[in-house]
Amino acid sequence: MQEPAITPELIQSHGLSPDEYERILEIIGRTPSFTELGIFSAMWNEHCSYKSSKKWLRTLPTDGPQVICGPGENAGIVDIGDGQAVVFKMESHNHPSYIEPYQGAATGVGGILRDVFTMGARPIAAMNSLSFGEPDHPKTRRLVNGVVEGIGGYGNCFGVPTVGGEVRFHPAYNGNCLVNAFAAGLAQTDGIFYSAASGVGMPVVYLGAKTGRDGVGGATMASAEFDDTIEEKRPTVQVGDPFTEKRLMEATLELMQTGAVISIQDMGAAGLTCSAVEMGDKGGLGVRLNLNAVPQREPNMTAYEMMLSESQERMLMVLRPEKEAEARAVFEKWDLDFAIVGETIAEDRFVIEHNGQIMADLPLATLSGSAPEYDRPWEPTPPAEPLAEVPQIDPVDGLRALLASPNYAAKQWVYEQYDTMVMADTARTPGLGSGIVRVHGTDKALAFTSDVTPRYVRANPVEGGKQAVAEAYRNLTAVGARPLASTDNLNFGNPEKPEIMGQFVGAIQGIGEACSVLDMPIVSGNVSLYNETDGTGILPTPTIGAVGLLDHVDDMIGDEVREGHVALLIGETEGHLGQSALLAEVFNREEGDAPAVDLDAEKRNGAFIRANREFIKACTDLSDGGLALAAFELAERAGVGVQLDEATTSFLFGEDQARYLVACNFDQAEALMIAAGQAGVTITSVGRFTGDAVWIGNASAPLAELSRLYRSAFAEQVV
């Protein structure tokens, strides 16, 4: 089949600018073939090369005594003691999920699971962070149902518990939903596998499912805005098979025990191209591939299609040749393809052969390491206008408005579609703050959370970035876990717009500062840009996934709210209502500045909670909805009423940071008061848990009535 001629239109359709194409001509000294153009397009798109974000990502803190492997590999690795490590990462599948919700979300889960077990870790937990448009937008219902079904369908069949996450709705996501998937696994510190190839003449082996035409150009599509041609992009969405992935995981982990693996890489974005180039580049080697050996599920596939296919459930490995028979036997036992498709070579070349012809011959290191890197112009986000006065409201009416919003109503409709207990190690399920999973065979447990407040980031990217990290820190602390490290999923609009790039830069600055002060280094992550449709961008949404450690699962702070328990507020309250949930839901106003984040106070108050967990029966951090929503959630969970003494709108619904609400008996409250005085921590008694109603000042409503509203609002409006 004759390859098409290289035209300006073809270059543009591959997401390459005229300057980038000129750079390609300089590198190879000739016009590229169609296959070579596709390879450059895949390696140099935003999704794979981080060309707009590299400069700023380098500023993030990535080291610490607990860090075994930071960014740059398939996932980050953190030591948890006793020769064990937790391996984790978060990645986006935004564009595919908007085009084809079920498969887009399902393959997002599949891809992040492969990132984890490629490193020798068995997945033990999954989370997701989902952002959709307005509940009454014509596309929202289909997107919510498809995405949730796709996440559940893949994760449940694969057999990993989904233990946490978040779901939000906002008009800014009407044209571009966000689907961020997180996975974590356990590995032995002496059994971790990396992707750098080594040794000349080593076999390059294709593992897993066969290659089809699904997902061709998917990485390039993910690096562009949407417009009215969106339906034409449907073939770029991958198709997943969780049962094949389960077999692939078991075969891969078994293979790793044979000593056959020199290096291994999952085939994700840009498929065979990216996996081969990254393995060769990290090892300082070239790679030669013979595409006739690639297992194919469709006839007459071209070299271009095979190199850019993003068919799922595939891996690429560099093999110790003396172990070939043993390795092949493992994959044949699991009924998966095992094919030697090439070899490592000493020359710095990426050579692709097909049907006896050289379809591509490129300098490999340049493909990987010399992608364009842009210092995009950026404008700082202007300071927010001071918040105009917010009227006092009936506090119970304000609480009702929050409970009736799909943003703050209970999300059980979502997480009840996920298997949260498979593997039988889940100690705390979704809906109760951080998810917790026991480290099998030990007394330890790991806590997981995912957090960001996009309206804060839009108003003040620096403080909003800080707040995302601080809230993750608090959510881990509230269950008694010591925060270990973070992964980020940085979702923004078009970086070629200086105001959008300014949001990105500010958020990175805030995230970096918070991660440094709170000892939560970024060990992995993903950047998703161009989340725009017809020029309208999403809210800046830098999601933070974080992991914490409980040295003993019995150290977990529970949710044992009982009749007569005292309600204690830890931290300073000034009543900040700018960009608050109350302002948005009750007054339809998104105004004012984000709350300031005092990182020293965050660290001090968090340390106080963890040091005094023996006196705490239940704990939650204060974030969206402030004290009123936090107190209701603790009470509703336990089926006990609550009385709050203060009825001031700003005190009840303000979203000041570094705060926790604690429930305990009177003697424990006295002990906490004494300890707080010694630690220099502000602590205030704000009420008690009692009866069967919610009382705020002189206003009240039956707990059962509010609970029905809270439990039904999401499904009634979204499903």
Side-chain angles (χ1 to χ4, degrees), residues 363-384:
L364 187 145
T366 303
L367 262 177
S368 179
S370 299
E373 183 174 329
Y374 296 121
D375 185 1
R376 302 257 189 220
W378 61 279
E379 298 172 357
T381 300

Side-chain angles (χ1 to χ4, degrees), residues 440-478:
H440 196 75
T442 76
D443 292 328
K444 294 180 295 191
L446 289 163
F448 304 98
T449 188
S450 166
D451 298 287
V452 65
T453 308
R455 63 182 183 277
Y456 292 173
V457 186
R458 182 176 61 181
N460 188 329
V462 176
E463 291 303 311
K466 282 188 206 171
Q467 193 275 340
V469 177
E471 186 173 347
Y473 175 88
R474 292 198 302 271
N475 274 326
L476 295 174
T477 293

